[in-house]
């Protein structure tokens, strides 16, 4: 074991146009590290450095700090030496010091999740050397105070614990600013900065009881360990859980020579995107700040400026800033540093072509020299994702299949949800405007703190600015509004990633956290007041604005057409009403995989008839009540068949236990007794009689139809008559009658006989006929195992994976929420098996059922109709199992169509 570990490479160097790693190695080097390596090898100027692998993070978590450091000590020291020789400076040297940054980077980008320390390696002696070497004392001390601040927060745990606490360093800075009558960090004098360093160290001593570490190597190891620890920090864990990223991925650590954007007016830092991350337009854009470092641009401390002139002019228009004022005070990088701009412009072009996707880049200008610090495939809204994929394909950068693979199925969801009703928008009162940071329509009640986002059902989070701590609340809120920050502020980037509507930098907002109010002009709004955000225009609107269904047009329609070109497994929908059926059809559903008939019984007069049927003591009484239900069911089916004209419609016979239909409250029980002219006691007795210890495993599904055949008879009649009625009107429909909860062949046979007999009678009555088929759900493990025999009788199978999961795991669907979250937290289960199909276990039954069924009847039609039918990885599984179709809720249909194409493409790769 020891020997093996010794030969394993744990540290990968990059810099000076070479690298040990490359972009393929993101699992090992993390996304940031892999791309730093790649950029270095293709000749993009990145400061030299090295990456400690994600495996070391896992080793650290298993073996502890001392063992982990021992594993990498030699490699790290050699790699630091290599940076030293490339930069011509020495780590910790007091005359010619090298400073470094320590950056985290997991395999997927987690914005703001992990913590970065800049300017590491500085101390009381080094700062003097740095000042002398750069001939810039102010810069040296600014770097020093930044370092203590970041190191104190990230490594020494001095970040404020709650929203009431104040950051101790910010507090010191605020005091000084007040004392000196200044507002910006850049206004600090050299003396101020030196005072700050002194006060900061003092604060560290007071808080931690220890002196601030002066030895650069101690600083470095402290920072590396802190990055590893941040992988298990609250924010990171929340983000991981939200996205289903396993804990054992770990984070890499990137150590890199510092380049300084804070060296004066000829320096700066910024972020840029090769295309518009909100709309997808092919427009290079971004923001920068002169004389600034690291996160200054996204932190929203100063108002960042635009990279391009066009972008700057657009921005000024929104911010209501006159052209003269703009050119003078907020010039673009293109205007201010044309040479640097054109160099940056060429790198963005190279990188986009190289990665063949929209890039999100970080850069720093040190004294007139441009350095690139990061590139990654940019986060984008659902709309931008679709447009970019189609545009890249049309530009010839990628082919059709690659375009399809570039679209993230779940993100399509954003495009399928309501937008503001244009009519309602016309009447809306716009009270202020901010930057259109992330498109969409959001309406909700104002909250001011992220941890209170769940205070209302629909909330809008209103903040001066957001920080990584706010992530959870941002996810809960319907929309996000900030007073400060640009298009690349934390709020904007995170919101776009989440596909959440966001308006940032709305300067007119005066937020008072203490009083929980926001004042716009002379109007004051309180917590709980309704506002609406139009993330596409930046308009902030008073009150509630009506929304309407979205339209599948433009690039969305194009990508869907492409999906159908490559997709193989068909996509149907689960729909219980004509309205659902119509929506699903407009989204491209090719039929209905599940119509639940019981939902139809809950409406007012129907539930009464249903209850009468249940309460009837005789077959005759039951038949009478069913007689009343028949026309209602028939007209429901007619509506659905009509909406799905020409397509197959699978109708499931009554499934839930009868006690779900009887009244459980005294008042309604009394009412029913009166209506039926029976005693209250009789009603109560019946309710008690229907009570089950375990209704999920009780008297339900085909067990109902087999004990009360007249129910099946009525339902079969309603279906067949509806089909015949439509036939008379020239509407083609293909009913598939589905028998639920079959476990034995006999159960199926008895139901099938009733259905076929009923159909025959009706055909004779009407002297007409329609085609129909009779199949079953496979949702009891026994049915999957007996599939060969069941297939002798059944025309089709539809896997009911909700019940199948429940019965295979033995987890009650209704009670699982009591323990499933804990199970996932503890790693007993990776994901909720009711959301994502358990391919290992439940999947075996699906495979067995399909194979055995098809062994008997090769043409057997097989599909799925559980919730899993709309979940990407489950759909892929269904495709690989050889199913004919998946069926999912209407709004998931486009997602399923895309996954269908992706699954087919993957199978050929
Ligand atoms: P995140 O993952 O949160 O973006 P990063 O590691 O990218 O964190 O770093 C935070 C900020 O510090 C970024 O703006 C980055 O460009 C900057 N930065 C990181 N390392 C250096 C460095 N060696 N020189 C200059 N700036 C750096
Ligand atoms: Mg970064
Ligand atoms: Mg079921």
């Amino acid at each position: 074991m020891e020997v093996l570990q010794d030969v394993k490479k744990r540290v990968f160097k990059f810099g000076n146009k070479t690298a040990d790693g490359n972009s393929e190695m993101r699992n090992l080097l993390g996304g940031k590290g892999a791309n730093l390596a790649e950029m270095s090898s293709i000749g993009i100027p990145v400061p030299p450095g090295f990456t400690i692998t994600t495996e070391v993070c896992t080793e650290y978590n298993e073996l502890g700090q001392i063992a982990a450091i021992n594993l990498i000590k030699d490699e790290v020291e050699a790699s630091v030496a290599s940076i030293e020789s490339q930069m011509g400076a020495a780590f910790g040297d007091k005359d010619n010091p090298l400073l470094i940054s320590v950056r985290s980077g997991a395999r997927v980008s987690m914005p703001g999740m992990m913590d970065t320390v800049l300017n590491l390696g500085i101390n009381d002696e080094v700062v003097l050397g740095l000042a002398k070497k750069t001939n810039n004392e102010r810069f040296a001390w600014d770097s020093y105070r930044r370092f203590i601040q970041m190191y104190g927060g990230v490594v020494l745990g001095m970040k404020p614990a709650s929203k009431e606490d104040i950051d101790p360093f910010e507090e010191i800075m605020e005091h000084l600013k007040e004392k000196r009558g200044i507002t910006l960090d850049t206004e600090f004098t050299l003396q101020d900065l030196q005072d700050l360093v002194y006060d900061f160290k003092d604060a560290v001593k007071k808080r931690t009881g220890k002196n601030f570490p002066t030895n650069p190597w101690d600083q470095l190891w402290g920072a590396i360990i802190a990055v590893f620890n941040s992988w298990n920090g609250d924010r990171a864990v929340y983000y991981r859980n939200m996205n289903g990223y396993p804990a054992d991925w770990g984070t890499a650590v990137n150590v890199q020579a510092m380049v300084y954007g804070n060296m004066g007016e000829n320096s700066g830092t910024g972020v840029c995107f090769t295309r518009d991350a909100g709309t997808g337009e092919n427009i290079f854009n971004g923001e920068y700040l002169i004389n600034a470092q690291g996160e200054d641009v996204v932190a929203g401390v100063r108002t960042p400026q635009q990279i391009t002139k066009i972008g700057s002019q657009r921005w000024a228009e929104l911010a209501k800033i006159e052209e003269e004022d703009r050119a003078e005070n907020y010039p673009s990088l293109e205007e201010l540093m044309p040479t640097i701009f054109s160099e940056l412009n060429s790198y963005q072009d190279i990188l986009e072509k190289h990665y063949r996707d929209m890039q999100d880049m970080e850069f720093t200008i040190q004294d007139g020299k441009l350095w690139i610090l990061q590139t990654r495939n940019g986060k984008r809204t659902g709309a931008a994702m679709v447009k970019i994929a189609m545009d890249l394909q049309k530009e010839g950068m990628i082919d059709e299949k690659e375009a399809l693979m570039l679209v993230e199925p779940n993100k399509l969801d954003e495009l399928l949800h309501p937008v503001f009703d244009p009519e309602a928008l016309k009447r809306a009162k716009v009270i202020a405007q901010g930057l259109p940071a992330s498109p969409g329509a959001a309406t909700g009640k104002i909250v001011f703190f992220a941890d209170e986002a769940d205070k209302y059902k629909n909330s809008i989070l209103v903040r001066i600015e957001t920080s990584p701590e706010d992530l959870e609340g941002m996810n809960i809120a319907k929309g996000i509004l900030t007073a400060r920050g640009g298009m690349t502020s934390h709020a904007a980037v995170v919101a776009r990633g989440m596909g959440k509507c966001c308006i940032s930098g709305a300067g007119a907002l005066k937020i008072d956290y203490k009083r929980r109010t926001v004042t716009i002009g002379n109007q004051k709004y309180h917590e709980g007041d309704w506002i609406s955000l139009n993330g596409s225009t930046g308009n902030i609107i008073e009150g509630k604005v009506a929304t309407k269904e979205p339209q599948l047009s433009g690039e969305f329609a194009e990508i869907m057409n492409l999906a159908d070109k490559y997709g193989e497994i068909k996509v149907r929908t689960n729909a219980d009403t004509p309205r659902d059926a119509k929506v699903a059809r407009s989204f491209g559903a090719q039929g209905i995989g599940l119509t639940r008939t019981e939902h139809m019984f809950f409406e007012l007069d129907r539930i009464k008839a249903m209850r009468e049927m249940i309460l009837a003591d005789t077959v005759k009484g039951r038949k009478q009540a069913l007689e009343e239900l028949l026309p209602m069911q028939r007209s429901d089916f007619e509506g659905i068949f009509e909406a799905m004209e020409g397509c197959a419609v699978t109708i499931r016979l009554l499934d839930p236990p009868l006690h779900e239909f009887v009244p459980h409250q005294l008042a309604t029980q009394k009412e029913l007794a009166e209506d039926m002219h029976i005693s209250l006691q009789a009603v109560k007795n019946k309710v008690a009689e229907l009570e089950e210890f375990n209704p999920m495993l009780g008297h339900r599904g085909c067990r109902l139809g087999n004990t009360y055949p007249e129910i099946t008879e009525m339902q079969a009649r309603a279906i067949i008559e509806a089909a015949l009625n439509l036939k008379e009107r020239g509407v083609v429909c293909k009913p598939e009658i589905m028998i639920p909860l079959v476990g034995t062949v006999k159960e199926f046979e008895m139901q099938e006989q009733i259905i076929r007999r009923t159909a025959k009678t009706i055909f004779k009555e009407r002297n007409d006929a329609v085609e129909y088929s009779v199949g079953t759900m496979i949702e009891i493990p026994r049915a999957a195992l007996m599939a060969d025999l069941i297939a002798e009788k059944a025309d089709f199978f539809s896997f009911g994976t909700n019940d199948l999961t429940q019965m295979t795991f033995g987890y009650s669907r209704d009670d699982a929420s009591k323990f499933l979250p804990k199970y996932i937290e503890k790693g007993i289960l990776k994901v909720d098996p009711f959301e994502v199909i358990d391919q290992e276990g439940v999947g075996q039954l699906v495979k067995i059922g399909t194979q055995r069924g098809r062994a008997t009847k090769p043409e057997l039609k097989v599909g799925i109709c559980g919730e899993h039918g709309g979940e990407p990885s489950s759909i892929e599984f269904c495709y690989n199992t050889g199913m004919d179709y998946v069926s999912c809720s209407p709004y998931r249909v486009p997602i399923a169509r895309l996954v269908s194409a992706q699954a087919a493409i993957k199978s050929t790769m």
Side-chain angles (χ1 to χ4, degrees):
M1 198 60 189
E2 275 303 300
V3 180
L4 265 180
Q5 283 183 349
D6 281 341
V7 293
K8 186 156 97 184
K9 188 171 169 63
R10 291 184 174 82
V11 176
F12 287 68
K13 294 195 282 288
F14 57 83
N16 198 19
K17 301 192 176 158
T18 61
D20 297 343
N22 61 52
S23 64
E24 307 279 291
M25 297 165 73
R26 54 188 315 126
N27 291 359
L28 190 63
L29 303 181
K32 199 181 286 169
N35 286 335
L36 283 168
E38 185 83 7
M39 284 197 289
S40 185
S41 10
I42 63 170
I44 303 282
V46 296
F50 59 89
T51 304
I52 302 169
T53 66
T54 54
E55 287 174 359
V56 181
C57 181
T58 307
E59 285 172 323
Y60 164 75
N61 286 327
E62 281 164 6
L63 309 172
Q65 180 167 337
I66 296 172
I69 292 178
N70 271 333
L71 285 173
I72 52 174
K73 195 160 183 288
D74 293 348
E75 279 180 277
V76 166
E77 283 173 3
S79 303
V80 169
S82 156
I83 303 180
E84 288 175 328
S85 75
Q86 287 180 62
M87 296 302 285
F91 188 52
D93 191 287
K94 62 179 177 6
D95 296 318
N96 182 19
L98 166 74
L99 300 193
I100 55 185
S101 68
V102 177
R103 323 170 63 186
S104 63
R107 67 168 80 171
V108 290
S109 85
M110 294 165 59
M113 282 300 92
M114 318 294 283
D115 295 302
T116 296
V117 179
L118 303 178
N119 310 323
L120 188 141
I122 204 166
N123 58 30
D124 288 351
E125 288 184 321
V126 168
V127 71
L128 301 178
L130 189 67
K132 210 157 138 207
K133 174 183 166 186
T134 57
N135 200 15
N136 190 338
E137 276 192 295
R138 195 181 182 287
F139 149 75
W141 286 90
D142 183 51
S143 303
Y144 197 8
R145 73 96 191 156
R146 284 171 185 271
F147 171 60
I148 300 176
Q149 198 173 348
M150 275 187 268
Y151 199 89
V154 175
V155 182
L156 305 177
M158 288 179 63
K159 272 208 195 107
S162 78
K163 68 182 185 209
E164 278 85 24
D165 294 340
I166 313 163
D167 181 306
F169 302 112
E170 287 296 336
E171 194 178 12
I172 294 171
M173 291 215 289
E174 284 307 314
H175 267 290
L176 187 59
K177 279 184 193 167
E178 235 167 74
K179 203 172 103 190
R180 298 257 297 94
I182 57 174
T183 52
L184 295 177
D185 298 1
T186 42
E187 293 172 282
F188 284 130
T189 62
L190 173 61
Q191 184 60 52
D192 290 338
L193 294 168
Q194 289 171 335
D195 289 350
L196 284 176
V197 165
Y198 184 86
D199 291 344
F200 282 3
K201 285 202 284 193
D202 204 41
V204 169
K205 180 76 193 267
K206 278 207 188 100
R207 243 316 246 287
T208 66
K210 286 191 204 133
N211 286 323
F212 190 84
T214 52
N215 181 318
W217 281 101
D218 291 345
Q219 295 173 355
L220 177 56
W221 288 115
I224 290 172
I225 295 300
V227 171
F228 285 154
N229 285 337
S230 74
W231 175 250
N232 284 319
D234 293 345
R235 282 185 275 143
V237 169
Y238 176 75
Y239 192 88
R240 269 166 30 206
N241 289 346
M242 188 167 89
N243 290 286
Y245 302 148
D248 61 11
W249 279 3
T251 178
V253 185
N254 300 291
V255 177
Q256 193 173 17
M258 280 304 299
V259 287
Y260 308 103
N262 55 337
M263 274 179 93
E265 295 305 303
N266 203 17
S267 302
T269 182
V271 296
C272 56
F273 301 88
T274 62
R275 288 173 197 242
D276 190 309
T279 64
E281 286 167 287
N282 186 4
I283 298 173
F284 177 45
N285 66 97
E287 293 175 334
Y288 76 104
L289 277 175
I290 287 298
N291 196 12
Q293 191 176 53
E295 306 282 61
D296 289 1
V297 175
V298 290
V301 193
R302 280 154 63 193
T303 305
Q305 289 156 237
Q306 298 295 310
I307 303 259
T308 63
K309 187 169 172 192
I310 287 194
S312 178
Q313 285 168 337
R314 275 194 186 181
W315 167 84
E317 212 180 299
L318 282 173
K320 306 239 170 0
I321 287 174
E322 294 296 322
E323 171 60 17
E324 220 169 295
D325 186 9
R326 181 202 70 78
E328 168 82 21
N329 295 311
Y330 308 98
S332 64
L333 187 70
E334 188 172 3
E335 294 159 288
L336 195 67
M337 299 182 175
T339 326
I340 293 279
F341 171 79
S342 74
E343 197 187 344
L344 181 64
N345 197 15
S346 79
Y347 294 148
Q348 67 95 10
D349 195 45
I350 292 171
L351 286 171
E352 183 177 276
K353 292 208 168 85
H354 185 76
Y355 286 99
R356 301 192 302 155
D357 195 0
M358 187 260 269
Q359 295 298 295
D360 162 357
M361 304 154 56
E362 288 171 3
F363 64 90
T364 285
I365 304 156
Q366 174 179 330
D367 206 14
K369 173 160 171 49
L370 177 64
W371 296 90
I372 307 295
L373 283 152
Q374 191 172 334
T375 193
R376 61 180 171 214
N377 295 342
K379 299 229 175 221
R380 64 203 76 177
T381 63
M385 168 183 77
V386 168
K387 176 159 175 57
I388 288 170
M390 283 315 299
D391 283 354
L392 290 176
Q393 188 262 323
K394 289 177 201 160
E395 288 160 27
M397 213 182 287
I398 57 177
D399 64 24
E400 289 178 348
K401 290 180 182 176
E402 286 168 318
L404 284 164
M405 296 309 290
L406 213 52
V407 181
E408 203 183 304
N410 282 329
K411 254 186 121 53
L412 285 181
D413 206 34
E414 285 169 37
L415 301 175
L416 302 171
H417 288 288
V419 291
F420 281 133
D421 178 351
E423 284 308 306
L425 262 191
K426 277 186 202 154
R427 295 185 300 271
K429 180 177 166 201
V430 177
I431 46 176
Q433 196 172 40
L435 301 173
S438 181
T443 291
K445 293 183 176 181
I446 297 175
V447 295
F448 292 100
F449 298 100
D451 59 356
E452 294 173 8
D454 56 359
K455 201 161 177 176
Y456 308 107
K457 189 164 158 263
N458 297 301
S459 64
I460 303 282
L461 180 62
V462 179
R463 303 271 315 155
I464 296 174
E465 63 209 28
T466 64
S467 70
E469 279 82 5
D470 298 335
L471 201 74
E472 189 170 350
M474 293 171 75
N475 195 29
I476 294 167
K478 293 281 180 269
I480 296 147
L481 171 61
T482 68
R484 277 199 220 149
M487 294 291 283
T488 54
S489 64
H490 177 267
V493 173
V494 171
R496 280 197 296 271
M498 289 176 173
K500 188 136 296 190
C501 170
C502 173
I503 295 175
S504 65
L509 272 60
K510 303 267 170 309
I511 298 173
D512 186 338
Y513 286 137
K514 218 166 188 171
R515 296 198 171 79
R516 300 184 178 229
T517 60
V518 52
T519 309
I520 302 171
N522 42 27
Q523 182 70 37
K524 191 175 276 179
Y525 300 90
H526 296 85
E527 183 180 273
D529 287 348
W530 283 91
I531 51 164
S532 302
L533 308 181
N534 186 338
S536 313
T537 59
N539 283 344
I540 303 160
I541 301 161
E542 192 176 86
K544 230 170 149 172
V545 180
T547 52
K548 69 185 252 301
E549 294 299 322
Q551 227 68 136
L552 299 197
S553 53
E555 279 90 7
F556 194 3
E558 290 172 13
I559 204 92
M560 282 295 114
N561 286 340
L562 269 193
D564 292 344
K565 179 169 167 187
Y566 291 94
E568 288 168 19
I569 189 166
K570 297 222 159 31
V571 178
R572 294 197 191 182
T573 190
N574 298 352
D576 301 344
T577 64
R579 190 195 159 271
D580 285 357
K582 277 190 201 121
V583 170
R585 212 157 181 191
S586 76
F587 285 157
Q590 294 165 290
I592 292 184
L594 175 65
T595 293
R596 305 174 192 85
T597 50
E598 56 270 17
H599 287 190
M600 302 172 176
F601 292 133
F602 282 102
E603 278 160 43
L604 229 55
D605 355 329
R606 303 175 179 199
I607 188 78
K608 245 178 74 190
M610 188 67 186
R611 285 170 175 167
E612 283 170 12
M613 191 276 290
I614 295 169
L615 285 164
D617 279 329
T618 59
V619 176
K620 187 159 162 264
R622 262 199 303 279
K623 281 199 168 160
Q624 227 162 35
L626 285 165
E627 207 62 15
E628 268 180 70
L629 287 168
L630 174 67
M632 305 181 196
Q633 281 249 289
R634 193 171 50 215
S635 75
D636 285 336
F637 294 141
E638 283 178 26
I640 289 174
F641 288 149
E642 188 151 24
M644 273 288 156
E645 181 173 4
C647 299
V649 174
T650 307
I651 297 169
R652 178 180 70 184
L653 301 182
L654 192 65
D655 182 55
L658 295 182
H659 84 104
E660 284 188 14
F661 298 97
V662 295
H664 292 269
Q665 261 142 8
L666 191 61
T668 20
Q669 287 178 347
K670 272 186 187 152
E671 223 173 88
L672 185 63
E674 274 164 34
D675 275 351
M676 287 193 65
H677 310 292
I678 52 174
S679 71
L680 175 62
Q681 197 50 48
V683 174
K684 283 187 163 173
N685 287 348
K686 191 73 190 185
V687 173
E689 190 187 305
L690 290 173
E691 198 65 48
E692 291 177 307
F693 286 107
N694 204 338
M696 277 293 187
L697 300 178
H699 195 180
R700 57 174 286 226
C702 68
R703 298 160 203 170
L704 288 173
N706 278 325
T707 44
Y708 304 120
E710 50 285 357
I711 299 179
T712 306
E713 218 173 271
M714 182 279 282
Q715 291 202 295
R717 183 169 273 276
I719 296 168
I720 298 294
E721 286 186 348
L724 282 168
N725 289 351
L726 286 182
K727 187 181 169 192
E728 274 171 15
R729 284 164 38 202
V731 178
V732 179
C733 56
K734 305 175 183 166
E736 301 177 339
I737 302 173
M738 181 156 79
I739 301 167
L741 224 67
V742 162
T744 74
V745 185
K746 208 76 201 158
E747 277 178 312
F748 180 85
E749 270 176 354
M750 292 191 65
Q751 288 293 290
E752 191 202 4
Q753 270 167 23
I754 299 169
I755 295 164
R756 296 213 185 269
R757 192 184 341 112
T758 307
K760 215 162 143 193
T761 314
I762 301 169
F763 293 159
K764 221 188 215 147
E765 286 166 11
R766 305 270 297 240
N767 198 17
D768 196 359
V770 284
E771 257 181 63
Y772 69 96
S773 57
V774 185
T776 183
M777 284 185 83
I778 304 287
E779 51 189 336
I780 289 184
R782 190 177 194 278
L785 299 171
M786 303 301 288
D788 46 350
L789 292 184
I790 296 175
E792 280 177 14
K793 308 283 171 192
D795 296 325
F796 63 88
F797 282 179
S798 176
F799 283 91
T801 47
N802 296 347
D803 267 309
L804 191 60
T805 299
Q806 165 169 269
M807 290 188 239
T808 305
F809 273 94
Y811 295 164
S812 158
R813 270 151 74 188
D814 297 332
D815 301 309
S817 64
K818 295 206 177 105
F819 58 87
L820 271 187
K822 263 270 164 314
Y823 263 39
I824 291 164
E825 198 183 301
K826 294 193 164 191
I828 297 171
L829 291 175
K830 277 216 156 93
V831 287
D832 178 345
F834 291 106
E835 262 172 46
V836 177
I837 200 164
D838 160 49
Q839 297 190 21
E840 269 186 324
V842 177
Q844 279 193 55
L845 286 167
V846 174
K847 279 187 192 151
I848 289 171
T850 308
Q851 279 157 11
R852 292 191 184 166
R854 291 235 173 100
T856 304
K857 192 178 271 175
E859 73 282 9
L860 184 77
K861 202 192 295 179
V862 179
I864 182 176
C865 62
E867 286 310 305
H868 301 106
E871 191 281 319
S873 73
S874 312
I875 297 172
E876 205 176 323
F877 168 78
C878 294
Y879 168 78
N880 291 327
T881 306
M883 284 191 198
D884 299 289
Y885 70 85
V886 295
S887 188
C888 55
S889 75
Y891 285 94
R892 303 295 296 181
V893 166
I895 295 168
R897 284 161 75 195
L898 175 72
V899 178
S900 167
Q902 291 184 339
I905 292 168
K906 277 188 206 167
S907 74
T908 61
M909 288 195 313

